[in-house]
Amino acid sequence: MKAGVLYAPHDLRVEDRPDPQFGDDDVLVEVTYNGLCGTDATEYGKGPMMVPLNAPHPGSGHQGPTILGHEFIGTVVDAGANVRHRIGERIACGAGVSCGECAWCRAGRTNLCAHYYTLGLSTHGGLAEYAAAPSSICVRIPDSVPDIDAALAQPLAVGMHSVDRARIQPGDTVVLLGVGAIGTFICSALRGHDGPVIAMDIDQGRLEVASTLGATGTALISPDATATDLRDLVPGGIQVVFETSGVFGSAERALSMVDMGGNVVLVGLNKSPQPLNLADVVLREVNIQTTVAHVCGSDIPAALDLLDRVHLSEILPAHPIALADVVSDGFEPLVSGSANGKIVVDPRRG
Ligand SMILES: [Zn+2]
Ligand SMILES: [Zn+2]
């Protein structure tokens, strides 16, 4: 089969690989679409951060060149003996593999599994004609959800999980500090919230997308806006802030702009240590939440359910490209920031 294999930063090769091996609990999937996201761009452009090119991954045991792709859907073409999925079924893969037995798995927090690993990051994934995956992390796609929408299930599940972590109350005013890639999925996951959802970003185009996705208000902000500037934009007060930008200093702004007793969800990542005014956080009883990945068993079905009601691909245009063009039309535009909409790879195109 043809596969996109990461060898080193800026060295991704589309090459022939043996079809994946699969075990009794796995499905073999013919990949319909594999979405690319910022995580892939980071691995390709600045990595490896997560891909175990140089040392074995403790969860997967895999080491070396790796087939990327953690956002994939496809059709089951073969299956192990213990698998409940049928041949021909369309599935969305959650990509995160958990053991089912550790304390975190038993508590339902499978995204924190002690042995967690991710297809397409810690071992081979879906950027290929075929992928093998544990059937336990694959969810049947409802017949009424088109492939191009279902291709958004995994990143939308990440947004769903962020919203779950936020403990939003009815009527709360929610601010999205940044509506780039993950921010748009959080905005989508907030559909149905019965209070204001205000998107703030430095890019007018992103704000327009956020409005279409259901944000009730938008604000174009300057990169050096202070917390006071931002709070003044919402005179009624802010109960929940999602900090999605990961920009240095933005966590501090989020913590300062939220109301007393409010919740801040840290979503964006910045590896540099940064100062926080924790005395202010404590004295105002601000809750800091964090979120990572998604809980496959609940968030992927919830994402597919939402995609059944809202055809997100019409709002977040997904651009299918051929696997052969994945470097020139996928990774390079993502790394340079010139990509528009969501890039999905269709390996059936060659
Ligand atoms: Zn992703
Ligand atoms: Zn576990």
Side-chain angles (χ1 to χ4, degrees):
M1 67 168 183
K2 289 268 186 274
V5 186
L6 185 72
Y7 278 78
H10 290 279
D11 181 7
L12 184 125
R13 304 177 201 170
V14 176
E15 61 184 19
D16 279 313
R17 284 260 159 166
D19 286 356
Q21 305 276 339
F22 62 96
D24 284 349
D25 299 312
D26 300 335
V27 289
L28 181 67
V29 176
E30 182 179 18
V31 177
T32 310
Y33 289 125
N34 181 92
L36 299 181
C37 75
T39 304
D40 298 300
T42 303
E43 292 299 325
Y44 173 81
K46 295 187 218 154
M49 306 265 184
M50 298 169 75
V51 177
L53 293 181
N54 307 313
H57 187 275
S60 71
H62 172 74
Q63 175 183 352
T66 303
I67 302 171
L68 294 184
H70 60 273
E71 301 183 0
F72 62 94
I73 65 159
T75 305
V76 176
V77 291
D78 208 343
N82 304 335
V83 166
R84 59 194 159 78
H85 295 286
R86 296 189 316 275
I87 308 296
E89 206 169 287
R90 292 187 309 145
I91 59 93
C93 183
V97 182
S98 50
C99 75
E101 287 163 13
C102 71
W104 292 272
C105 283
R106 288 201 307 271
R109 302 184 74 177
T110 53
N111 58 326
L112 305 180
C113 171
H115 309 286
Y116 196 75
Y117 65 93
T118 307
L119 306 185
L121 289 170
S122 350
T123 186
H124 298 309
L127 189 60
E129 289 179 279
Y130 297 94
S135 70
S136 58
I137 63 165
C138 295
V139 180
R140 196 179 80 81
I141 300 169
D143 293 341
S144 45
V145 178
D147 286 332
I148 196 69
D149 288 296
L152 302 173
Q154 196 274 354
L156 180 58
V158 175
M160 293 285 193
H161 184 63
S162 306
V163 170
D164 256 8
R165 296 281 295 156
R167 302 184 197 164
I168 301 170
Q169 299 300 311
D172 277 355
T173 294
V174 178
V175 165
L176 294 163
L177 201 49
V179 278
I182 182 64
T184 58
F185 288 106
I186 295 173
C187 194
S188 309
L190 283 166
R191 285 182 96 95
H193 171 57
D194 68 349
V197 174
I198 299 162
M200 298 185 179
D201 203 287
I202 58 172
D203 183 288
Q204 183 61 36
R206 289 176 177 178
L207 293 174
E208 281 158 21
V209 172
S211 288
T212 319
L213 287 170
T216 56
T218 60
L220 185 65
I221 60 173
S222 120
D224 48 17
T226 65
T228 308
D229 297 337
L230 300 181
R231 199 168 51 224
D232 288 349
L233 294 169
V234 192
I238 303 165
Q239 286 76 52
V240 178
V241 179
F242 289 89
E243 201 306 293
T244 74
S245 72
V247 169
F248 188 93
S250 204
E252 170 64 20
R253 289 194 300 184
L255 292 166
S256 303
M257 69 193 277
V258 78
D259 277 5
M260 277 196 293
N263 295 343
V264 171
V265 188
L266 299 180
V267 185
L269 292 177
N270 189 314
K271 291 215 161 182
S272 311
Q274 48 186 300
L276 297 175
N277 183 351
L278 290 178
D280 181 65
V281 172
V282 172
L283 292 170
R284 301 193 314 113
E285 276 196 355
V286 170
N287 301 304
I288 301 178
Q289 309 286 345
T290 58
T291 181
V292 67
H294 61 84
V295 174
C296 194
S298 52
D299 292 316
I300 295 278
L304 286 168
D305 186 57
L306 179 59
L307 290 164
D308 199 6
R309 287 176 280 126
V310 182
H311 291 284
L312 263 194
S313 68
E314 291 167 13
I315 306 169
L316 298 173
H319 304 297
I321 62 172
L323 181 55
D325 302 327
V326 73
V327 172
S328 59
D329 296 355
F331 286 98
E332 287 296 339
L334 275 173
V335 166
S336 68
S338 60
N340 269 322
K342 182 77 180 171
I343 297 173
V344 296
V345 178
D346 178 354
R348 300 164 303 171
R349 287 194 185 185

